[in-house]
Amino acid sequence: MGLSMATEDSDIPMEEYLQSLPKMHMEPLWTRMDAMRLSTLPFHGGQPGDRRDGGKKGFDVGKPSNEYESLLLVYFLSDLLAYHQIVEAPHTTDTIYGGLQLVNPGEVAPAHRHIAYAARFIIDGNGFTAVEGKKLPLMRGDVVVTPTWHWHDHGNESTEPVVWLDVLNLPLFTYAPVNFAESYEKARYPSVEVSSADWRHPWHKTQDTLDESTDKHSIFHYKDSRGRPLSTTIGVQAERVSPSSSSQPSQEVNSFLYHCYGGQGHTIVTPPNGERLVFHWRGRDTFAVPAWSSVQHFNESGTEPAYLVGFHDRPFIDNLGLRAYIPSQK
């Protein structure tokens, strides 16, 4: 798929870039397709090129041309040993895979389809995705989904890189190994431009709904046109925390992969092993929360709201009849 940008003397900066990934709990997906690791502990991830500081450069990474330029969000083996659980699979939580994908100007991820369900949150830039013949714009803050076995391709026709968070239900296929994939006969699946479809959920509509609430902490649940969760395995919600406010502590049996759209604050996470962790976040940060963790978000700004988008496995848990939670204490 050739998602790379050659630069002068790129071998040195690329080597330094790859060496910097472990401290951000990331590694290059294209080197780990056959052996990807699990995250069963909370962690706070970074982003490629630390785009908060203006890093927008792609690299010639020397990967196969048919691999995405993606970063797998992981927790590494030494950390897993402390938790006494090791699984060889594409896990970010026990049920959710998360990765960061960068598409440089002029690049296209060739058309394909797969059994796995995919959802994406656009972190930066403007691109497109085409799903079953409908070409949709990708803009910052959009949630875009690709249902099971739908032809799709992605690309960047702008002059700036596009970065998004990929979220898939890949870990489930370690128990039901039926995730087959197929490439289309051409690079692009025939498509026509449309401004909206059930697969694209623009941020401005989400924020408008959140901002209408007078609660100090409000939650917007993404639904399809029939009022159902976006899929049977992965759901999405957006949260708004008012200035100098917090959410109520919550504890659920499902896990989360959170991304901060805007604002700054911190989240207190207490996973099942009882270790209390504090994650400080700001716009474009990503962090994971394991199942049955106590979670509470705090907005550290006294003037601006904070917005978090959480991908979770609640639909999967509900469909199995395994929902359990501890009511919030107000």
Side-chain angles (χ1 to χ4, degrees):
M1 296 180 182
L3 305 186
S4 62
M5 179 190 299
T7 59
E8 292 185 2
D9 300 323
S10 61
D11 290 345
I12 295 177
M14 190 57 208
E15 181 179 354
E16 294 176 356
Y17 177 63
L18 293 177
Q19 291 175 353
S20 73
L21 295 178
K23 66 182 180 181
M24 296 186 290
H25 295 289
M26 295 190 290
E27 62 179 314
L29 174 62
W30 57 91
T31 67
R32 302 293 295 159
M33 294 302 291
D34 296 324
M36 293 184 280
R37 297 186 178 121
L38 158 72
S39 169
T40 52
L41 290 176
F43 76 91
H44 186 190
Q47 55 185 292
D50 196 359
R51 296 174 64 82
R52 294 173 309 202
D53 297 329
K56 297 184 177 181
K57 180 171 65 174
F59 295 94
D60 181 1
V61 296
K63 64 187 182 308
S65 61
N66 63 339
E67 302 290 3
Y68 286 176
E69 184 166 338
S70 294
L71 298 174
L72 168 64
L73 299 173
V74 299
Y75 215 92
F76 291 98
L77 187 61
S78 60
D79 302 304
L80 292 173
L81 288 173
Y83 197 70
H84 307 294
Q85 187 172 1
I86 301 174
V87 178
E88 292 291 335
H91 295 69
T92 302
T93 75
D94 289 318
T95 53
I96 299 172
Y97 157 91
L100 295 170
Q101 182 166 341
L102 181 147
V103 181
N104 281 308
E107 294 178 337
V108 175
H112 59 288
R113 61 181 178 178
H114 41 70
I115 300 298
Y117 171 86
R120 297 172 178 85
F121 183 83
I122 311 307
I123 298 174
D124 267 312
N126 295 284
F128 74 85
T129 188
V131 182
E132 287 292 329
K134 294 183 178 181
K135 184 180 179 183
L136 299 162
L138 300 178
M139 303 176 65
R140 172 161 160 74
D142 285 356
V143 169
V144 181
V145 304
T146 305
T148 295
W149 210 237
H150 280 47
W151 288 112
H152 59 284
D153 50 74
H154 322 290
N156 182 358
E157 297 171 330
S158 74
T159 59
E160 296 291 333
V162 180
V163 178
W164 63 71
L165 174 65
D166 270 326
V167 182
L168 288 87
N169 57 358
L170 291 177
L172 303 184
F173 297 101
T174 62
Y175 309 103
V178 294
N179 182 31
F180 304 103
E182 180 181 6
S183 296
Y184 189 62
E185 59 186 11
K186 297 181 180 179
R188 294 291 314 281
Y189 187 83
S191 63
V192 295
E193 291 188 9
V194 297
S195 59
S196 63
D198 204 23
W199 304 312
R200 178 180 179 241
H201 305 267
W203 173 256
H204 69 87
K205 294 183 178 180
T206 301
Q207 183 173 339
D208 287 347
T209 301
L210 290 171
D211 289 345
E212 289 174 359
S213 173
T214 58
D215 294 335
K216 292 183 177 180
H217 173 238
S218 55
I219 301 178
F220 172 85
H221 296 281
Y222 287 82
K223 303 284 187 179
D224 66 15
S225 59
R226 298 182 181 181
R228 305 171 302 186
L230 298 186
S231 80
T232 57
T233 54
I234 292 178
V236 190
Q237 66 187 49
E239 304 181 38
R240 180 187 189 274
V241 185
S242 297
S244 302
S245 300
S246 69
S247 65
Q248 296 295 325
S250 63
Q251 187 172 1
E252 301 182 62
V253 75
N254 46 277
S255 61
F256 286 88
L257 184 60
Y258 274 106
H259 183 82
C260 177
Y261 173 81
Q264 62 181 33
H266 66 274
T267 296
I268 298 176
V269 179
T270 306
N273 66 1
E275 180 184 3
R276 182 178 183 272
L277 300 172
V278 180
F279 295 148
H280 291 271
W281 40 259
R282 52 178 170 153
R284 298 176 175 82
D285 277 349
T286 302
F287 61 97
V289 176
W292 205 238
S293 297
S294 174
V295 180
Q296 187 173 19
H297 306 301
F298 293 82
N299 185 349
E300 296 174 356
S301 171
T303 59
E304 299 296 328
Y307 299 95
L308 297 169
V309 176
F311 295 83
H312 55 78
D313 54 10
R314 191 179 296 124
F316 173 66
I317 298 299
D318 284 351
N319 284 324
L320 292 177
L322 302 177
R323 171 72 75 91
Y325 65 95
I326 294 178
S328 299
Q329 299 179 357
K330 297 185 179 182

